[in-house]
């Protein structure tokens, strides 16, 4: 009997779901399905993906010249190609990953498929001795990134809900920034000290940790299969534990009842969705429905601008500090610390977005950056004062980028929630979170393609000073649509806090009108 029980546990562990009604719960169920563990797993997954992207950047020129036989004059061209291939795969793969994830019964399976793609791409890049294999490895790496980002963010929404999603995605943004910061530095140091393969040994070790976490993770909806069963059992067998379980259940029921009552009280009867509307699914695909939202399009445009500004430094700053300050590659890498350090405030920014709405954080971030982009033009010669000014300007731009990213990521969740409130059931039983975040990652990937090309081309053709003010102008272009549409049309009454979003936009508008009438 014990052998059968262990076999059942093994089957359910591999399947990631309950297979038999009589099967016992997995070991450490509450820990493995907790918000903290799921958030930690997704943050590690994002960090791993970004880390593996950045750790090989210092190695690619060596791999092209000594392993793939590329001529010295052609190395820059192929490095740019390999960077573009990754962005293209991320751009195309994200909507597809979102479409599949929303139709999969579990988020765990797509995450594991992404891990397989990530491991395969790392092996290909490690062993590659031709340009074709390097390109194939980067394509696979971009597809893996699309799955991790899209499915991971959707899983977090499933886990924490919309009220806390801004703060939660702030931690994801922080893990991304850490990966961007740490990977190139470690890649360069390890390669110089220990050689080519040692860089990939670090990568394989991180992938092994990622494998363990993703296999151990249990989704909330899967864990409820055992938790609900436990409540039923405790109700049938009352005791000390059973009384506690029933008490918890009564409290939960009361909370649900209170929320429902509050919603019904705040929302006029003529504004509540009818039962027919609640069950009717939209005939249009969720992606098309989402893309008809001007609010979502404004968020996607903001992500394109944000991704462009974030990656604009990549192609010009290392060459600029080498030319003006005469720094080596280590100094060129360390200068990015100034941009990345402010990102540690991302969870705080996300919390503010959850409490007060995303509009003014996003617009404020874009506007705040404009003067500092323009002032970069004053850095023109080598001196201590110029270096301090340069680092300070980069840090202030980093603050602006931190103000923008978490609210824009959370806005995607807010838009899907608002669409569901308008017409419950329009996206079906599986929802559309993964597809919405697939669009977000595609927009960000488009930005990562635009940014380096924009900054590099303008800097070469018109100079450093022109490049800086054009990026400031581009930042303003990101602020205008976000001012009008982020958080809802600026002329309407819109839900801002998590409690307001829970009852819906119509109820908020009705409440505001009542309060205005009372004041009169």
């Amino acid at each position: 009997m014990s052998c059968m029980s262990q076999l059942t546990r093994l089957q359910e562990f591999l399947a990631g779901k309950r297979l038999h009604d009589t099967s016992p719960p997995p070991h450490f169920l509450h820990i493995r399905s907790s918000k903290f563990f799921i958030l930690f797993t997704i943050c590690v997954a994002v960090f791993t993906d970004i880390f593996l992207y950045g750790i090989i950047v210092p190695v690619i020129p060596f791999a092209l010249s000594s392993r793939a036989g590329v001529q010295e004059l052609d190395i820059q061209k192929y490095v740019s190609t390999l960077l573009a291939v990754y962005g293209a795969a991320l751009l195309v793969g994200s909507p597809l990953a979102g479409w599949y994830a929303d139709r999969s019964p579990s988020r765990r399976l797509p995450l594991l498929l992404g891990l397989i793609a990530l491991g395969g791409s790392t092996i290909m890049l490690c062993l590659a001795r031709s340009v074709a294999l390097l390109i194939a490895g980067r394509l696979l790496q971009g597809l893996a990134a699309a799955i991790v980002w899209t499915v991971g963010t959707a899983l977090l929404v499933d886990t924490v809900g919309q009220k806390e999603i801004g703060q939660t995605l702030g931690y994801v943004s922080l893990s991304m920034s850490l990966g961007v910061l740490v990977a190139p530095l470690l890649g360069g140091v390890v390669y110089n000290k220990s050689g080519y393969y040692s860089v990939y040994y670090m990568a394989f070790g991180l992938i092994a940790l990622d494998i363990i976490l993703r296999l151990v993770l249990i989704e909330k909806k899967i864990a409820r299969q055992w938790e609900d069963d436990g409540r039923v059992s405790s109700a049938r067998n009352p005791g000390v534990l059973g009384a506690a379980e029933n008490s918890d259940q009564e409290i939960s029921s009361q909370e649900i009842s209170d929320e429902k009552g509050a919603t019904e009280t705040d929302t006029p009867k003529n504004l509540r969705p009818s039962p027919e509307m609640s069950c009717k699914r939209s005939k249009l695909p969720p992606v098309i429905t989402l893309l008809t939202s001007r609010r979502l399009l404004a968020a996607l445009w903001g992500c394109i601008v944000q991704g462009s500004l974030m990656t604009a430094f990549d192609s010009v700053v290392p060459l600029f500090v080498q030319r003006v300050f005469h720094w080596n590659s280590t100094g060129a890498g360390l200068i990015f610390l100034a941009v990345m350090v402010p990102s540690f405030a991302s969870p705080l920014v996300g919390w503010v977005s959850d409490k007060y709405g995303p509009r003014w954080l996003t617009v404020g971030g874009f506007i705040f950056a404009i003067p500092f982009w323009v002032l970069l033009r004053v850095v023109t010669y080598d001196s201590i004062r110029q270096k301090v000014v340069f680092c300070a300007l980069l840090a202030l731009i980093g603050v602006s980028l931190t103000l923008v990213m978490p609210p824009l990521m959370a806005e995607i969740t807010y838009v899907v929630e608002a669409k569901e409130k308008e017409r419950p059931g329009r996206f079906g039983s599986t929802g559309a979170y993964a597809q919405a975040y697939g669009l977000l990652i595609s927009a960000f990937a488009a930005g990562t393609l635009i940014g380096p090309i924009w900054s590099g081309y303008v800097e070469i053709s018109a100079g450093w000073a022109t490049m800086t003010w054009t990026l400031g102008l581009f930042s303003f272009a990101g602020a205008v649509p976000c001012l009008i549409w982020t958080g809802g049309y600026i002329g309407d009454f819109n839900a801002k806090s998590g409690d307001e979003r829970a009852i819906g936009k119509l109820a908020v508008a009705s409440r505001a009108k009542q309060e205005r009438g009372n004041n009169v």
Side-chain angles (χ1 to χ4, degrees):
M1 191 72 176
S2 176
C3 234
M4 290 294 295
S5 176
Q6 293 301 322
L7 180 61
T8 300
R9 285 184 185 274
L10 178 61
Q11 290 174 338
E12 290 176 338
F13 175 77
L14 295 175
K17 61 181 180 180
R18 191 176 190 180
L19 299 177
H20 306 289
D21 293 338
T22 58
S23 63
H27 296 300
F28 309 109
L29 174 65
H30 294 296
I31 296 175
R32 293 165 61 184
S33 62
S34 66
K35 290 182 181 180
F36 172 80
F37 184 79
I38 293 174
L39 174 60
F40 178 74
T41 301
I42 298 304
C43 286
V44 169
V46 170
F47 176 82
T48 300
D49 178 75
I50 298 296
F51 187 84
L52 294 185
Y53 166 79
I55 200 174
I56 64 169
V57 169
V59 180
I60 283 179
F62 165 79
L64 286 170
S65 60
S66 65
R67 296 174 65 86
V70 175
Q71 297 296 321
E72 194 72 25
L73 293 175
D74 295 329
I75 287 179
Q76 181 62 59
K77 178 181 69 175
Y78 282 110
V79 168
S80 300
T81 300
L82 290 172
L83 290 173
V85 160
Y86 177 90
L90 190 61
L91 179 66
V92 174
S94 296
L96 297 176
W99 177 85
Y100 173 72
D102 278 337
R103 280 157 179 74
S104 173
S106 170
R107 307 285 194 200
R108 188 170 177 264
L109 178 59
L111 277 175
L112 289 174
L113 291 176
L115 182 61
I116 293 171
L118 187 63
S121 67
T122 306
I123 292 173
M124 291 173 69
L125 291 169
C126 178
L127 301 178
R129 290 187 175 275
S130 69
V131 173
L133 197 57
L134 285 170
I135 291 175
R138 292 292 285 181
L139 275 171
L140 195 58
Q141 195 176 53
L143 292 174
I147 296 172
V148 169
W149 275 92
T150 303
V151 182
T153 47
L155 176 58
L156 287 177
V157 176
D158 295 343
T159 303
V160 304
Q162 58 148 331
K163 288 188 178 182
E164 303 173 17
I165 194 61
Q167 184 178 8
T168 301
L169 292 176
Y171 288 105
V172 176
S173 178
L174 174 58
S175 64
M176 178 189 73
S177 298
L178 286 175
V180 171
L181 173 65
V182 172
L185 294 177
L186 276 180
V189 170
V190 172
Y191 172 67
N192 289 330
K193 298 293 184 181
S194 303
Y196 177 80
Y197 288 105
S198 296
V199 174
Y200 288 95
Y201 295 156
M202 282 196 302
F204 292 132
L206 201 53
I207 290 174
L209 172 63
D210 209 356
I211 289 174
I212 294 170
L213 290 175
R214 294 195 205 186
L215 287 174
V216 170
L217 180 145
I218 299 177
E219 295 175 58
K220 282 284 186 185
K221 64 182 180 182
I222 304 299
R224 285 193 201 100
Q225 297 175 8
W226 284 280
E227 291 171 352
D228 293 342
D229 189 41
R231 291 192 187 101
V232 172
S233 299
S234 62
R236 290 176 180 173
N237 301 288
V240 177
L241 179 61
E245 293 278 356
N246 289 333
S247 176
D248 291 341
Q249 191 173 5
E250 287 173 6
I251 293 171
S252 300
S253 300
Q254 183 65 36
E255 289 175 351
I256 294 170
S257 177
D258 290 344
E259 290 179 5
K260 183 178 178 182
T263 303
E264 292 176 353
T265 301
D266 292 327
T267 308
K269 289 183 178 180
N270 63 323
L271 296 179
R272 296 175 197 163
S274 64
E276 292 81 4
M277 182 183 292
S278 299
C279 299
K280 189 174 181 180
R281 179 173 179 170
S282 174
K283 295 180 180 179
L284 293 174
V287 170
I288 303 300
T289 301
L290 291 169
L291 287 175
T292 59
S293 167
R294 285 168 290 187
R295 181 178 172 183
L296 182 78
L297 292 176
L300 295 180
W301 170 247
C303 288
I304 292 174
V305 176
Q306 165 77 357
S308 300
L309 296 176
M310 183 179 290
T311 56
F313 291 116
D314 292 347
S315 61
V316 294
V317 167
L319 295 175
F320 176 79
V321 298
Q322 182 183 15
R323 183 178 68 250
V324 176
F325 299 147
H326 311 294
W327 287 355
N328 58 21
S329 58
T330 302
L334 290 174
I335 194 64
F336 286 97
L337 277 171
V339 184
M340 294 302 170
V341 166
S343 65
F344 283 91
S346 294
L348 176 62
V349 174
W351 176 82
V352 175
S353 175
D354 284 333
K355 191 169 180 64
Y356 299 106
R359 185 193 312 277
W360 298 114
L361 283 170
T362 304
V363 174
F366 281 131
I367 297 297
F368 181 75
I370 294 173
F372 306 119
W373 280 111
V374 176
L375 286 173
L376 282 173
R377 64 190 289 130
V378 306
V379 181
T380 55
Y381 59 91
D382 186 7
S383 72
I384 295 297
R385 175 174 290 186
Q386 289 275 285
K387 292 173 183 175
V388 171
V389 169
F390 188 61
C391 291
L393 290 173
L394 291 183
L396 290 168
I397 291 173
V399 171
S400 72
L401 295 174
T402 300
L403 289 174
V404 171
M405 192 62 181
L408 281 180
M409 294 177 71
E411 173 72 351
I412 302 301
T413 299
Y414 303 158
V415 171
V416 177
E417 289 286 343
K419 288 288 185 184
E420 277 285 351
K421 288 289 182 183
E422 289 174 4
R423 186 174 169 184
R426 73 188 308 165
F427 296 128
S429 59
T430 55
Y433 286 115
Q435 292 172 81
Y437 277 104
L439 294 173
L440 170 77
I441 303 307
S442 291
F444 186 79
T448 63
L449 290 175
I450 294 170
I453 295 173
W454 178 314
S455 59
Y457 176 78
V458 175
E459 205 271 340
I460 290 171
S461 60
W464 170 262
T466 302
M467 184 271 295
T468 61
W469 74 255
T470 58
L471 289 174
L473 186 63
F474 195 37
S475 186
F476 178 77
V480 175
C482 290
L483 173 65
I484 298 172
W485 293 109
T486 298
Y489 179 60
I490 193 171
D492 294 341
F493 290 102
N494 296 294
K496 295 182 178 65
S497 67
D499 291 334
E500 290 177 349
R501 290 193 299 273
I503 64 175
K505 173 181 173 180
L506 295 175
V508 173
S510 175
R511 179 188 293 174
K513 289 179 181 178
Q514 290 176 3
E515 291 177 355
R516 188 169 57 186
N518 294 334
N519 292 333
V520 173

